[in-house]
Amino acid sequence: MLAAPRRVENSLTDKGYVPVYTTALVEQPWQAYNADDHATWDTLYRRQRELLVGRACDEFLQAQDAMGMGAGRIPRFDRLNKILAATTGWTLVGVEGLLPELDFFDHLAHRRFPVTWWIRRPDQIDYIAEPDLFHDLFGHVPLLMNPRFADYMQAYGRGGVKAHAIGPAALQQLSRLYWYTVEFGLIDTPAGLRIYGAGIVSSKGESLHALESAVPNRIGFDLQRIMRTGYRIDSFQQSYFVIDSFEQLMRATAPDFTPLYAVLAEQPLIPADEVLANESALQRGSGERAGQAAPS
Ligand code: PHE
Ligand code: CO
């Protein structure tokens, strides 16, 4: 019998909250979830699913259904793993909290996706700074069923191992790409603008802000611009980047980033809170997107 996994969360120090990193892989202690844990999953699942129909991309919603992810009880990693193994070959591995960057990259490079085993407490329903089971499982795992996105995540992991060897400036640029695609990406579809980023789909407030608020910039996907744009982890994003397709994302990120890191390191940072005039915010956008950006 394995020791019960720990619940590793941010810790409060005299410098405020600091992230705590952990590398252990754990078996999901499914029997240890209590009624509150399952109720938190159920509440969040129902609320987000209802909100996301017509807001999240079809690939995301269809994959959730295809995986049998549903309300009621926290899904079992071993069941999801059977389905993932038969589709894109990804494996979910249980973790206790945030992983050090290189460990995280190595998992992705081997098509292993780390999922936090514990779920937020009832008083954290609307906001928690760090990733928990709801964010990881509900937000990230469905698109691992999509062959193109599944390959993108692995390519990102390999790129991360490489960037880690190059140095901190390269890592920072690469992490902005993750932030503005995997976590906060939007996609333009024939039916309109849709969400695919896990940080958005797992948050009610951010889902509405990303699509329906007139405040944020919605900028056509631009690799170099993304890699120069700072980001905020404690508020809604001021900028979202819009891809046309997962193929576009794959194609644009396929070249070797090594020379790019050096070039971009010399260029000024674009601040996270930069506000663009509406025309430039929508410079590559369609009329439809401009329409959707207006408050409803
Ligand atoms: N092409 C990138 C490199 O050579 C790796 C990468 C691929 C990064 C896909 C992110 C996403 O470093
Ligand atoms: Co995440």
Side-chain angles (χ1 to χ4, degrees):
M1 191 69 193
L2 292 166
R6 300 170 307 154
R7 178 178 180 127
V8 176
E9 299 175 68
N10 287 340
S11 73
L12 188 55
T13 71
D14 54 357
K15 296 195 181 66
Y17 282 95
V18 295
V20 181
Y21 297 96
T22 164
T23 57
L25 297 190
V26 301
E27 199 160 323
Q28 183 187 28
W30 201 81
Q31 302 300 339
Y33 296 132
N34 62 29
D36 269 357
D37 294 329
H38 290 296
T40 297
W41 171 270
D42 182 70
T43 301
L44 286 171
Y45 181 91
R46 287 176 194 279
R47 188 168 90 176
Q48 287 309 104
R49 262 308 283 228
E50 191 185 10
L51 185 70
L52 291 175
V53 173
R55 290 193 174 90
C57 64
D58 288 342
E59 289 89 341
F60 175 87
L61 296 169
Q62 284 166 9
Q64 277 193 333
D65 295 339
M67 303 188 85
M69 213 181 254
R73 316 211 120 218
I74 292 172
R76 302 182 68 122
F77 298 175
D78 54 1
R79 296 218 180 122
L80 298 176
N81 274 338
K82 292 211 173 76
I83 298 163
L84 281 167
T87 49
T88 55
W90 276 75
T91 306
L92 309 181
V93 292
V95 292
E96 297 180 314
L98 285 176
L99 283 98
E101 264 164 336
L102 189 55
D103 295 77
F104 182 64
F105 294 143
D106 184 67
H107 285 305
L108 297 186
H110 293 91
R111 287 172 106 84
R112 292 188 299 264
F113 193 80
V115 176
T116 306
W117 73 266
W118 53 268
I119 195 161
R120 66 194 71 185
R121 295 187 310 269
D123 62 296
Q124 298 169 311
I125 281 261
D126 291 309
Y127 183 76
I128 176 168
E130 62 213 302
D132 72 332
L133 178 141
F134 184 74
H135 168 79
D136 289 339
L137 209 52
F138 182 98
H140 284 286
V141 169
L143 280 181
L144 297 176
M145 296 276 283
N146 179 275
R148 272 148 314 268
F149 195 82
D151 287 350
Y152 176 71
M153 290 294 281
Q154 179 175 28
Y156 179 85
R158 289 176 171 156
V161 173
K162 210 168 77 182
H164 190 269
I166 296 172
L171 265 186
Q172 192 177 38
Q173 292 174 32
L174 190 68
S175 64
R176 293 179 188 137
L177 177 61
Y178 190 85
W179 191 261
Y180 285 116
T181 61
V182 178
E183 295 291 358
F184 291 95
L186 297 178
I187 182 167
D188 199 13
T189 79
L193 196 58
R194 295 288 184 272
I195 305 162
Y196 72 91
I200 310 179
V201 292
S202 59
S203 159
K204 180 181 178 183
E206 189 107 20
S207 293
L208 294 170
H209 180 78
L211 289 185
E212 271 133 77
S213 166
V215 171
N217 313 314
R218 300 178 185 85
I219 306 168
F221 182 83
D222 177 338
L223 179 68
Q224 299 200 16
R225 184 183 178 114
I226 287 176
M227 289 169 74
R228 289 176 50 213
T229 306
Y231 58 84
R232 293 284 304 269
I233 64 162
D234 56 357
S235 64
F236 295 153
Q237 302 304 304
Q238 176 58 33
S239 291
Y240 298 96
F241 290 87
V242 183
I243 60 171
D244 293 326
S245 63
F246 294 124
E247 286 82 3
Q248 178 199 25
L249 187 58
M250 279 303 276
R251 236 182 303 112
T253 56
D256 182 4
F257 286 0
T258 309
L260 191 57
Y261 290 138
V263 171
L264 295 180
E266 301 304 316
Q267 296 183 11
L269 174 79
I270 301 170
D273 55 4
E274 181 182 63
V275 177
L276 298 180
N278 226 18
E279 284 98 336
S280 55
L282 300 167
Q283 56 192 336
R284 297 183 181 199
S286 59
E288 185 173 23
R289 192 182 301 151
Q292 291 210 342
S296 52

